[in-house]
Every structure is written in C-alpha cells, then in structure tokens.
Amino acid sequence: MSGLTPPAAADVVVMPAAEAYDFEYFRARVDAVLLSRSIAVRVFRMPLLAVPVGGIRRGGWFGADNLAVALAVRDVLAPLNDFPGARITWRCAPRSSYAVEWGDRPPATWLDDNERLAFYGLRRPAPRPGLGPESGRHDRARPSSPADFSCSSAAPYGRGPR
C-alpha cells in the first residue's frame, strides 16, 4: 500500500445560469441561445458559468484547482447533452492545474485571437461608454482557453469556465 488516499469529494452544485459570478461577462460575449442553455456550477461557494457547445461554439472548459474538483465537475457535466465528451485535462504552465473540457479539443496553438474566440463561440463585447479609445481606456479583458495555460504555451494564465 502506497499510503495515498483518494481525493475527498468536492461540493459541486448546479444552479441557474444567472447566478454565476461571470454571467454578465458571458452575456456580452456569447449567443443568447447558448446563454439560455448554460448552467452555473458552484464549487464550494463560488458559482461560475459553464457554457455548452452549439452553433459556432465548438468547445468549452472549466478550471479546477485539484483532481477532486475536476472529477466532480466532470461528473456533473458528463450526463448533459450540451457538454459532449466531458473530460479532464492537465495543464502545467504557469502553474499546474486541471481543467474540465467538453466538445472539440482546442488546438495546441492559435493562429490569432480571432481563431480562439471563434472556437469558443465568443464575440467581442460592444464598446461601453467611457471605455472606448476616445476615453483613453480600453476593455482589455479577454476570455482564456485551456490552450492559454497548456504545457506548450507561454500565454497568460486564465482560469474559470469558458
């Protein structure tokens, strides 16, 4: 016996999409039909959005700090038709973590940001007053993908569902 114990089960709860902390972020970036089929997945105390595949959206992901959380999230998403092929992947840079992916596998590298946005069915949000170039401020927030923090990528680290 190696003395290793299996990870404790994580507390994962499915909630209405509008209760996700990042609901507004996605409301500005995904198709309304996809948003209506999305769910909030609460891990411990924080609900985050899981957006299904469909239309032009080919894949999605949900970040997890440990294997127990990844397993629990995968087990919640796997039986749902809108999250096909739910699987756990390992990411090692810049910090080791797991992600639950669904749909098509993302490419190892992206040609450009537009290719990444198209794969995840995301659009850039409409400019908000006071955040356009004329104000000197820009909305630089962008969604991340598993490829943003894969072993072969030096791109910025991103966590959370996509």
Side-chain angles (χ1 to χ4, degrees), residues 28-77:
R29 290 166 173 82
V30 300
D31 179 76
V33 173
L34 282 178
L35 192 64
S36 72
R37 293 181 10 231
S38 298
I39 60 173
V41 178
R42 188 182 76 202
V43 177
F44 306 112
R45 295 182 188 175
M46 189 157 138
L48 296 171
L49 202 63
V51 181
V53 296
I56 62 168
R57 184 176 171 86
R58 296 176 42 209
W61 65 278
F62 192 101
D65 284 337
N66 61 58
L67 183 57
V69 169
L71 287 167
V73 170
R74 187 213 45 206
D75 290 349
V76 164
L77 297 178

Side-chain angles (χ1 to χ4, degrees), residues 124-144:
R124 297 184 196 287
R128 295 185 313 208
L131 290 180
E134 65 282 351
S135 70
R137 296 175 54 197
H138 302 276
D139 185 3
R140 297 181 193 264
R142 72 169 181 88
S144 299

